[in-house]
């Protein structure tokens, strides 16, 4: 939690708690509105600290996350949204840095507009 918030504050444009809270609310709203997860009410979780865990029940949780340098992940091929262009990046310029909020689906699974997502599924923002 704290590492993810530090990443957001120093490596992205979400440099204040207010902006990070907006990002979390945006993610919660997207889960409810776009994915149809009816159990989520975005404003209900405003009192939970930004580095806290939102427990949706059934083992389903929303929490901040970061992919840090020690993972040593690399993105070597990037495909643009049009699906046509592929870009091969040099390994030295391809370090993966990512952070935000994620929903991790627990043992109970979670119902969405598209059906039931099983244990271990993840949604990120």
């Amino acid at each position: 939690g704290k590492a993810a918030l530090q990443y957001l504050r120093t490596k992205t444009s979400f440099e204040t708690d207010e902006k990070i809270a907006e990002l979390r609310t945006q993610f919660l709203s997207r889960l409810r509105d776009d994915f149809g997860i009816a159990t989520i009410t975005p404003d209900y979780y405003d009192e939970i600290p930004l580095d806290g865990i939102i427990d949706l029940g059934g083992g389903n949780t929303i929490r901040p996350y970061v992919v840090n340098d020690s993972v040593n992940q690399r993105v070597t091929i990037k495909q643009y949204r049009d699906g046509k262009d592929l870009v091969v990046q040099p390994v030295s310029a391809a370090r993966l840095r990512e952070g935000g909020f994620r929903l991790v689906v627990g043992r109970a699974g979670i119902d969405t507009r598209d059906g039931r997502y099983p244990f271990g599924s993840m949604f990120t923002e």
Side-chain angles (χ1 to χ4, degrees):
K2 292 190 186 315
L5 297 181
Q6 182 66 21
Y7 169 82
L8 290 170
R9 289 182 186 119
T10 59
K11 305 287 186 192
T12 73
S13 61
F14 301 102
E15 61 270 324
T16 65
D17 284 352
E18 291 78 22
K19 288 183 179 181
I20 295 170
E22 287 173 19
L23 176 67
R24 183 172 74 177
T25 300
Q26 173 184 318
F27 180 50
L28 292 167
S29 296
R30 185 167 64 97
L31 290 171
R32 181 196 61 204
D33 300 340
D34 296 347
F35 290 95
I37 301 175
T39 57
I40 294 177
T41 306
D43 297 337
Y44 179 77
Y45 307 105
D46 287 347
E47 299 302 316
I48 294 177
L50 292 173
D51 62 349
I53 297 171
I54 297 174
D55 185 352
L56 300 176
N60 301 308
T61 59
I62 296 172
R63 62 182 70 206
Y65 81 100
V66 66
V67 177
N68 63 30
D69 290 339
S70 64
V71 174
N72 201 23
Q73 289 184 326
R74 308 278 183 187
V75 178
T76 56
I77 297 177
K78 181 176 183 177
Q79 184 168 9
Y80 292 97
R81 289 184 185 209
D82 64 11
K84 298 175 187 168
D85 296 318
L86 281 176
V87 176
V88 178
Q89 302 180 91
V91 173
S92 62
R95 176 147 337 239
L96 175 65
R97 290 185 175 93
E98 179 179 296
F101 290 91
R102 72 178 172 185
L103 162 61
V104 179
V105 177
R107 294 224 179 257
I110 197 162
D111 291 321
T112 72
R113 181 174 291 123
D114 298 325
R116 188 165 194 80
Y117 279 79
F119 171 72
S121 299
M122 281 192 273
F123 300 79
T124 61
E125 175 88 24

